[in-house]
């Protein structure tokens, strides 16, 4: 943005072929909303508000947005709120991931098309923060991410409950017959009792911590509970920071860099964070031409300790993490491993931030680097003939006795097949078998749902079997746990080797070698491949967004972004900027 660029309401004019007429008409219509002539001269901070009646995690946004507006006004800007798509995790079918890219496009285009000089992004529930970061990165207007903050925990008898690790824990007990119908109904009403995102280090909390580490959210804001007064203060501070960036713009492309992305991977590993976050971080970085390689993830994982004792891996909840010192404490422990010259939306470097007094740190929740919970990071990428482009295992949430193991595959060809047979008393399955789910990747009919946490068959869970190796091209909720290999790429629906596995095959997992191998000879695999035919409806036989998604979604190792949303070098973007400056329609 240069001094001469139009600001506020004069940015990006609607095209009537007469610039002055466009300004006159816009001011006239803006006046109809009660703005005075003086106010219309102010620079504008847009507030992308993803409130929705279909998003419980954003229930408090109507209150929160008022505090953002106050901050913008204090910073000298004019706050103007606008809606975008919202993605309430459990209210979307087939899965919220399918719509993440749609929300990112909505966010990007509304930032670009409407007259604003900076923007505050209000998100929180799983896919909303990645979508907003992706959109903001592509729009590259100064932006501050404000997250919803986590829910508070609740109680059931003597037990503390937090969505959604405890949702799964009690559902597993219910399936095993340890919890009655009445009890599960009672628990259902107590799992999620306040506004905010899931109360554990699931995807939403992981992405909030990543947004803060990248520098896109204000320091210290990731973990503040949704209902805490500090959350309201963080909203005011975010609005203020966005308004201040108008005169000293710091663009997402200056904040999200190779170094800050690497810092974010370190934090993801130290948190024992969600496997979903690696997909989202890859997509956010990809919008700025930054590659997240799974080989590099493994290097960083080997030298980054797990420090945070939160569910689903550990025993505490997000509110404990906040009171224990939050992200500031984690970053201080990781300091020797981090790039300290990265800059946040405040203009401060990470090194400067970490010079400040750390305050109280509860070592029961956030371990020191000298005495980590685990010496190595929570996630590991696996490669081999079953996953030539990689797969992910959350080793911090897995049973280490299963890390070096060969077993017999029991294959489910789809989610429908899984649902139909997993609890069949006649299912031929033993505790040391390896469960395989096919056709649940990004291009499959199910759109890569969080179904990688295959239920332990009832005939085994009722006998006390708690974990088995499970392999799929699906995702897993950040709140889940188990020895679960996810994101196998390429996926089965496009003919990846996962599609060629048959019940009875042998599979070998080696976490120490980071390998996942299908022990079937090449000639047999070639024979199976020649018989394989795709089982998905081709893009050209679909319509609308479903068609766009089917034709454009990339594989998990590419962040499941759309290919056309990645940066294009050269003319198109340049032409677009030029036309926007002239106030022409693009
Ligand atoms: Fe929104 Fe879990 S349902 S973060």
């Amino acid at each position: 943005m240069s001094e001469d660029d139009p600001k506020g309401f004069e940015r990006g004019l609607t095209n009537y072929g007469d610039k002055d007429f466009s300004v006159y008409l816009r001011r006239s219509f803006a006046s109809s909303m009660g703005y005075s002539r003086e106010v219309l001269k102010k620079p504008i901070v847009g507030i992308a508000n993803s409130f929705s009646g279909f998003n419980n995690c954003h229930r408090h946004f109507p209150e929160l947005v008022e505090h953002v507006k106050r901050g913008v006004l204090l910073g000298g800007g004019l706050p103007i709120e606008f809606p975008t798509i919202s993605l309430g995790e459990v209210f979307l079918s087939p899965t919220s991931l399918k719509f993440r890219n749609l929300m990112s496009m909505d966010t990007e285009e509304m930032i670009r098309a409407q007259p604003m000089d900076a923007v505050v992004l209000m998100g929180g529930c799983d896919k909303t923060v990645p979508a907003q970061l992706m959109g903001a990165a592509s729009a590259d207007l100064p932006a501050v991410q404000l997250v919803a903050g986590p829910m508070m925990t609740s109680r059931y008898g003597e037990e503390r409950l937090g969505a959604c690790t405890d949702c799964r824990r009690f559902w597993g007990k219910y399936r095993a017959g340890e919890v009655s119908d009445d009890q599960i109904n009672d628990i259902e009403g107590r799992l999620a009792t306040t506004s905010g995102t899931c109360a554990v280090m699931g995807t939403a909390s992981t992405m909030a911590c990543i947004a803060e580490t990248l520098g896109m959210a204000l320091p210290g804001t990731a973990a503040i509970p949704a209902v805490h007064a500090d959350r309201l203060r963080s909203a005011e501070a975010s609005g203020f920071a966005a308004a201040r960036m108008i005169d000293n713009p710091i663009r997402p492309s200056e904040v999200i860099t190779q170094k800050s992305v690497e810092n974010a991977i370190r934090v993801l590993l130290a948190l024992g964070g969600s496997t979903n976050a690696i997909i989202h971080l890859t997509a956010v970085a990809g919008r700025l031409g930054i590659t997240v390689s799974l080989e590099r993830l493994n290097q960083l994982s080997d030298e980054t300790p797990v420090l945070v004792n939160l569910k689903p891996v550990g025993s505490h909840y997000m509110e404990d993490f906040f009171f224990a010192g939050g992200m500031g404490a984690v970053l201080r422990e990781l300091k020797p491993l981090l790039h300290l010259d990265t800059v946040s939306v405040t203009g401060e470097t990470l090194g400067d931030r970490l010079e400040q007094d750390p305050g109280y740190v509860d070592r029961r929740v956030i371990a020191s680097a000298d005495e980590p919970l685990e010496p190595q990071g929570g996630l590991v990428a696996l490669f081999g003939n079953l996953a030539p482009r990689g797969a992910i295992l959350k080793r911090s949430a897995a049973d280490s006795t299963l890390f070096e193991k060969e077993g017999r595959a029991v294959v489910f060809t789809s989610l429908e097949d899984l649902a139909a047979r997993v609890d069949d008393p006649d299912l031929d399955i033993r505790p040391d078998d390896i469960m395989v789910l096919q056709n649940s990747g990004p291009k499959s009919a199910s759109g890569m749902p969080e179904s990688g946490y295959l239920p332990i068959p009832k005939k085994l869970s009722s006998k006390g079997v708690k974990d088995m190796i499970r392999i799929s091209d699906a995702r897993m909720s950040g709140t889940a746990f188990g020895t679960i290999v996810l994101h196998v790429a390429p996926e089965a629906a496009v003919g990846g080797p996962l599609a060629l596995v048959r019940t009875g095959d042998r599979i070998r997992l080696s976490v120490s070698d980071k390998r996942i191998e299908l022990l079937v000879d090449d000639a047999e695999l070639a024979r199976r491949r020649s018989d394989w035919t795709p089982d998905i409806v081709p893009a050209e036989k679909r319509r609308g967004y479903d068609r766009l998604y089917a034709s454009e979604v990339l594989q998990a190792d590419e962040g499941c972004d759309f290919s056309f949303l990645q940066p294009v070098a050269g003319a198109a973007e340049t032409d677009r900027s030029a036309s926007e400056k002239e106030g022409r329609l693009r």
Side-chain angles (χ1 to χ4, degrees):
M1 224 182 303
S2 84
E3 283 289 298
D4 302 331
D5 287 341
K7 285 202 173 59
F9 273 110
E10 296 194 17
R11 285 176 67 98
L13 292 172
T14 315
N15 181 22
Y16 297 105
D18 177 342
K19 182 172 175 253
D20 293 339
F21 175 73
S22 297
V23 173
Y24 153 79
L25 198 64
R26 181 173 283 177
R27 273 206 304 256
S28 166
F29 282 25
S31 301
S32 80
M33 293 187 278
Y35 294 118
S36 67
R37 198 78 190 243
E38 273 314 294
V39 166
L40 292 178
K41 290 180 189 154
K42 294 256 182 207
I44 294 172
V45 175
I47 305 170
N49 187 351
S50 57
F51 172 79
S52 163
F54 287 108
N55 194 333
N56 59 294
C57 299
H58 298 185
R59 190 182 93 194
H60 55 314
F61 277 14
E63 182 186 18
L64 202 58
V65 73
E66 296 307 318
H67 295 262
V68 178
K69 288 177 184 172
R70 189 173 66 239
V72 172
L73 291 169
L74 287 169
L78 173 62
I80 298 190
E81 177 188 354
F82 63 98
T84 68
I85 296 170
S86 190
L87 303 176
E89 183 62 21
V90 300
F91 297 99
L92 289 159
S93 175
T95 170
S96 63
L97 180 66
K98 182 166 181 181
F99 305 102
R100 182 201 63 181
N101 298 347
L102 183 64
M103 182 175 175
S104 83
M105 290 164 68
D106 180 2
T107 305
E108 174 186 346
E109 297 303 332
M110 288 304 100
I111 291 173
R112 282 185 187 282
Q114 300 174 128
M116 65 190 79
D117 303 285
V119 62
V120 176
L121 309 159
M122 293 179 64
C125 194
D126 279 28
K127 310 303 177 291
T128 59
V129 170
Q132 290 182 328
L133 290 175
M134 290 160 75
S138 294
D140 210 20
L141 191 77
V144 178
Q145 179 76 58
L146 172 65
V147 298
M151 291 180 207
M152 301 297 281
T153 55
S154 182
R155 289 281 191 284
Y156 177 67
E158 294 180 353
E159 300 238 29
R160 208 170 160 203
L161 296 185
C164 218
T165 301
D166 295 321
C167 316
R168 294 169 200 288
R169 184 164 64 88
F170 278 101
W171 191 251
K173 287 186 177 195
Y174 176 62
R175 283 178 53 82
E178 296 166 25
V179 163
S180 69
D181 286 347
D182 284 348
Q183 286 174 313
I184 201 74
N185 286 338
D186 207 1
I187 290 163
E188 181 185 291
R190 298 172 188 227
L191 284 164
T193 53
T194 76
S195 60
T197 49
C198 285
V200 298
M201 191 52 81
T203 305
S205 297
T206 307
M207 286 310 301
C209 294
I210 281 178
E212 184 177 330
T213 306
L214 286 171
M216 290 297 293
L218 294 187
T221 59
I224 304 167
V227 297
H228 196 292
D230 281 358
R231 177 55 60 202
L232 302 177
R233 286 188 270 269
S234 77
E236 180 188 293
S238 298
F240 186 82
R244 284 301 165 101
M245 276 204 290
I246 293 169
D247 288 333
N248 299 295
I250 302 171
R251 293 176 180 276
S253 55
E254 297 168 71
V255 176
I256 304 170
T257 61
Q258 187 82 48
K259 287 181 177 178
S260 70
V261 168
E262 197 154 301
N263 287 347
I265 296 172
R266 294 267 192 203
V267 161
L268 167 62
L269 294 162
L271 296 174
S274 166
T275 47
N276 283 316
I278 195 69
I279 292 179
H280 299 320
L281 185 58
T282 300
V284 172
R287 290 297 181 93
L288 294 165
I290 300 164
T291 302
V292 173
S293 108
L294 294 180
E295 287 84 359
R296 182 66 179 146
L297 171 77
N298 278 344
Q299 288 170 0
L300 298 178
S301 192
D302 283 347
E303 56 189 44
T304 306
V306 177
L307 300 176
V308 177
N309 182 11
L310 251 60
K311 287 178 183 250
V313 176
S315 50
H316 297 278
Y317 295 87
M318 279 303 288
E319 66 198 62
D320 307 320
F321 180 58
F322 170 63
F323 291 113
M327 278 307 302
V330 174
L331 292 167
R332 266 178 213 98
E333 293 303 321
L334 293 176
K335 189 174 175 185
L337 299 173
L338 299 175
H339 301 287
L340 299 176
D341 55 348
T342 57
V343 69
S344 83
V345 290
T346 63
E348 182 183 53
T349 66
L350 182 59
D352 289 340
R353 175 184 175 184
L354 298 183
E355 288 299 311
Q356 292 154 26
D357 178 8
Y360 170 71
V361 179
D362 185 341
R363 292 293 174 205
R364 292 169 299 181
V365 182
I366 302 170
S368 69
D370 296 336
E371 291 181 79
L373 298 169
E374 299 285 344
Q376 295 182 316
L379 302 183
V380 62
L382 305 168
F383 297 92
N385 71 343
L386 192 51
R389 285 168 53 181
I392 295 287
L393 172 75
K394 187 172 180 177
R395 60 180 162 191
S396 55
D399 178 353
S400 58
T401 65
L402 300 176
F403 281 4
E404 309 298 322
K405 188 167 165 37
E406 185 185 313
R408 183 186 70 138
V410 175
V411 177
F412 300 91
T413 56
S414 66
L415 279 172
E416 293 72 27
D417 183 35
L418 176 73
R421 293 195 297 123
V422 71
D423 288 336
D424 184 341
D426 295 329
L427 180 68
D428 176 16
I429 193 160
R430 299 184 291 267
D432 58 353
D433 286 338
I434 295 177
M435 298 174 73
V436 175
L437 173 65
Q438 299 168 326
N439 296 310
S440 295
K443 290 241 187 217
S444 73
S446 53
M448 205 178 186
E450 292 185 336
S451 55
Y453 179 74
L454 277 65
I456 305 289
K458 249 185 185 156
K459 66 190 283 187
L460 300 180
S461 65
S462 59
K463 290 186 184 139
V465 175
K466 296 264 188 278
D467 197 7
M468 296 171 69
I469 298 176
R470 288 159 271 179
I471 301 171
S472 74
D473 43 14
R475 296 177 298 118
M476 173 173 83
S477 164
T479 61
F481 46 88
T483 310
I484 295 173
V485 178
L486 302 153
H487 310 178
V488 169
E491 64 175 299
V494 298
L498 188 69
L500 308 181
V501 186
R502 302 287 179 267
T503 292
D505 289 348
R506 307 291 294 176
I507 291 176
R508 185 186 301 138
L509 169 69
S510 172
V511 177
S512 60
D513 292 341
K514 302 184 175 71
R515 303 291 297 174
I516 182 119
E517 304 283 357
L518 176 60
L519 305 177
V520 174
D521 65 52
D522 290 346
E524 172 60 13
L525 288 178
R527 191 192 64 71
R528 291 181 191 177
R529 178 165 300 289
S530 66
D531 288 346
W532 179 84
T533 50
D535 187 25
I536 44 175
V537 179
E540 56 276 16
K541 296 221 163 132
R542 305 183 189 200
R543 63 161 297 283
Y545 179 70
D546 189 43
R547 180 175 183 144
L548 182 71
Y549 178 88
S551 71
E552 299 295 337
V553 71
L554 297 169
Q555 292 291 290
D557 61 326
E558 298 164 308
C560 300
D561 202 0
F562 291 160
S563 47
F564 68 89
L565 292 174
Q566 306 214 304
V568 177
E573 289 289 313
T574 311
D575 287 352
R576 183 152 129 160
S577 308
S579 73
E580 281 167 0
K581 271 188 195 169
E582 288 168 23
R584 294 197 313 258
L585 273 182
R586 53 185 174 80

